[in-house]
Amino acid sequence: MENNNIASLTSSKLSPDVKHVTQLKNDSTKKYLLYMFMTSAIICVFVVAGDSIMQHIQQFWSTSGEFWQSVWLLVYETLDGDPWKIGVYGTLVVITVPYWILASLLLFVDVTGRPSFIVQYKVQPEKNSPVCLVKLRKAILTVLFNQTVLNLCLIPVVYPVFIWRGVNLTPELPSFHWAVIHLAAFVLIEEIGFYYSHRLLHHPMLYKHVHKVHHEWTAPICIISLYSHPVEHIVSNMLPPLLGPLLMGSHMAIAWLWFVMALYSTLLAHSGYHLPFLPSNEAHDFHHQTFMNNFGVLGLLDHLHGTDKLFVASKAYQRHFTSLSLTPVLRQVPDDPKIKQIGRASCRERV
């Protein structure tokens, strides 16, 4: 009885802030336990109905596989089956053209403010409305420099290493199973490579001279995904995605598919729009607002190292989900009315 009274007295003396943080930690733990439960449930489903599921997937793959095989053969023959042309010229096209297709669409929205249907999904509505053209011009020129000069220097250097590792450049595509296994490995390898390289760039010495360039934009837009110092572009933008295919000795077609997936992932993470039915970008947007927390892509290593605590305690964490509604997440989980809104950034800010 005495112990219960003491516990009750101690609990009653806890400040509201402490209780709030404790509640957030409990909510975070429950959320990760839910993720674990869902993952276990999915695994159980695959174990029980694995043969049936794989049969349907294989049927789909065999139907579409002929199409992708014909596309790969067309590319292969266009480049004369030359390993150098495929590994260098082909890779340069793959990591450049798809980037600008999506980036151009999102840039149109940033510059014109249309269509309003998309604008309503802005994560930070008070920023970049409209986007500062002076800062945008600087960002575009930097990205073009990184994609041309730096990539033109890096890819020819990486190519011999790929060949040494046994990267496959044959005209025959790999099986569906191998493609899935390799892509899953790429995701985990990039998470490790990007988290630690990104966190290293936040060391005071490196941040001041290197990573600060990328953080000039506290409210990111799509083009900022590759807006960085040359050292950062090579160490953190390029090497983590390249590590997976290199370590796995993958087929070049799988590597190309992965490069496009990685590019679109970072474009959406920096887009500034939390669009419905697409992965949430609240975590990385929060990173740009605060300059800390959320150094990884998936959030696994952030949770392991405790570099997501501020994020978990924020309103942005409550919005960090894939929305299945057309209602903007900012309306679904509105800001506390007591929080003072930050005004629009000046066009001269950090130019």
Side-chain angles (χ1 to χ4, degrees), residues 138-152:
K138 178 186 175 184
I140 291 175
L141 290 176
T142 301
V143 170
L144 288 173
F145 174 82
N146 289 342
Q147 288 185 317
T148 54
V149 177
L150 295 184
N151 287 358
L152 279 171

Side-chain angles (χ1 to χ4, degrees), residues 86-127:
I86 296 172
V88 177
Y89 301 154
T91 299
L92 287 170
V93 171
V94 166
I95 63 177
T96 304
V97 175
Y99 175 88
W100 283 105
I101 291 175
L102 180 57
S104 298
L105 294 174
L106 292 172
L107 275 175
F108 176 82
V109 180
D110 291 325
V111 173
T112 65
R114 295 192 300 267
S116 57
F117 173 76
I118 301 297
V119 176
Q120 67 176 331
Y121 296 109
K122 284 179 71 71
V123 178
Q124 300 183 59
E126 73 284 352
K127 297 287 188 71

Side-chain angles (χ1 to χ4, degrees), residues 126-140:
E126 73 284 352
K127 297 287 188 71
N128 299 323
S129 299
V131 67
C132 176
L133 296 181
V134 177
K135 292 177 64 178
L136 179 60
R137 178 178 178 273
K138 178 186 175 184
I140 291 175

Side-chain angles (χ1 to χ4, degrees), residues 276-287:
F277 311 111
L278 292 177
S280 168
N281 60 347
E282 297 285 347
H284 197 71
D285 205 280
F286 182 85
H287 176 77

